Amino acid sequence: MKKFTILLALILGYTFSSQAQRIETTPQTSANVGLEPIKRGNWMIGGSLGNIGYSFEGEAFNIQIQPRAGYFVSDGLAIGAQANLGFTAVKDMDNEWGYGIAPFVRYYFPGGATQSSRFFTQGDIGIAGSSAGNDVSLAIGANVGYAHFITQSVALEATLGYNYTKANVNLGDKATGLGVGLGFQIYLPGNR
């Protein structure tokens, strides 16, 4: 009888344990946010975790991290600033580290989206430099992107853009190229 009681206790313990393990919590993959995160007076912080691109002129591969912060001056329109921190590997030359800062304007399109996502475009113009020289250059970028809201205040983003830099030391007198970025934004409510 003692063995039977122990066996029964083990079976019941295993059953309750396996039932508890079957209770799964599914991670949230989207949130119906409408226009709330991109309303006038709200803030956004975040950035691109990787901006990967290829330069046409100098056969160079680059990767950047672009932290950014912005303020919504009207519904769907944000202005702000971003830092550009990057690494460039140039064919048959020394690698270089890049840096820069650029104000940006971002516009979220009202159409062509769902309650949990938005298309946007972003333009920026600023200054950039590199470890290869003391020159500071003009940097211009134009991007289109897609933001998918996974919660009421966090969105994952993908961007595709064109970048132009004047007077880049290692690559000659200019550098242009296409870039793909993946990142996130956190949308904070402002005082209204």
Side-chain angles (χ1 to χ4, degrees):
M1 185 69 165
K2 186 176 182 180
K3 289 181 183 180
F4 177 73
T5 306
I6 292 173
L7 181 62
L8 184 62
L10 288 173
I11 291 173
L12 288 175
Y14 175 76
T15 303
F16 287 120
S17 172
S18 65
Q19 289 296 329
Q21 290 175 359
R22 285 189 195 155
I23 299 173
E24 297 177 14
T25 56
T26 306
Q28 186 170 340
T29 57
S30 77
N32 292 335
V33 296
L35 295 173
E36 196 57 36
I38 58 173
K39 290 277 192 186
R40 180 176 179 248
N42 288 354
W43 290 87
M44 60 183 256
I45 58 170
S48 297
L49 298 177
N51 187 3
I52 303 167
Y54 184 79
S55 173
F56 301 126
E57 282 83 11
E59 295 184 10
F61 172 79
N62 65 64
I63 186 166
Q64 290 186 343
I65 297 174
Q66 297 174 311
R68 75 177 54 89
Y71 177 76
F72 285 91
V73 294
S74 67
D75 291 354
L77 180 65
I79 60 171
Q82 70 184 19
N84 298 316
L85 310 169
F87 173 75
T88 303
V90 184
K91 184 178 179 180
D92 300 326
M93 299 183 93
D94 291 336
N95 298 330
E96 66 183 66
W97 295 93
Y99 54 88
I101 189 160
F104 71 85
V105 175
R106 180 181 280 200
Y107 178 71
Y108 290 83
F109 294 103
T114 66
Q115 290 294 317
S116 64
S117 63
R118 292 273 172 241
F119 289 102
F120 64 87
T121 185
Q122 177 176 315
D124 55 79
I125 184 168
I127 58 173
S130 72
S131 62
N134 295 333
D135 293 343
V136 175
S137 62
L138 173 68
I140 299 172
N143 295 282
V144 293
Y146 178 77
H148 178 75
F149 288 86
I150 57 173
T151 70
Q152 293 293 323
S153 60
V154 177
L156 299 177
E157 297 181 345
T159 59
L160 175 65
Y162 178 78
N163 301 296
Y164 173 84
T165 302
K166 183 72 175 158
N168 191 313
V169 178
N170 264 353
L171 303 177
D173 66 345
K174 66 178 179 170
T176 59
L178 296 176
V180 175
L182 298 173
F184 71 96
Q185 294 296 327
I186 300 171
Y187 298 84
L188 304 171
N191 296 329
R192 289 185 221 151

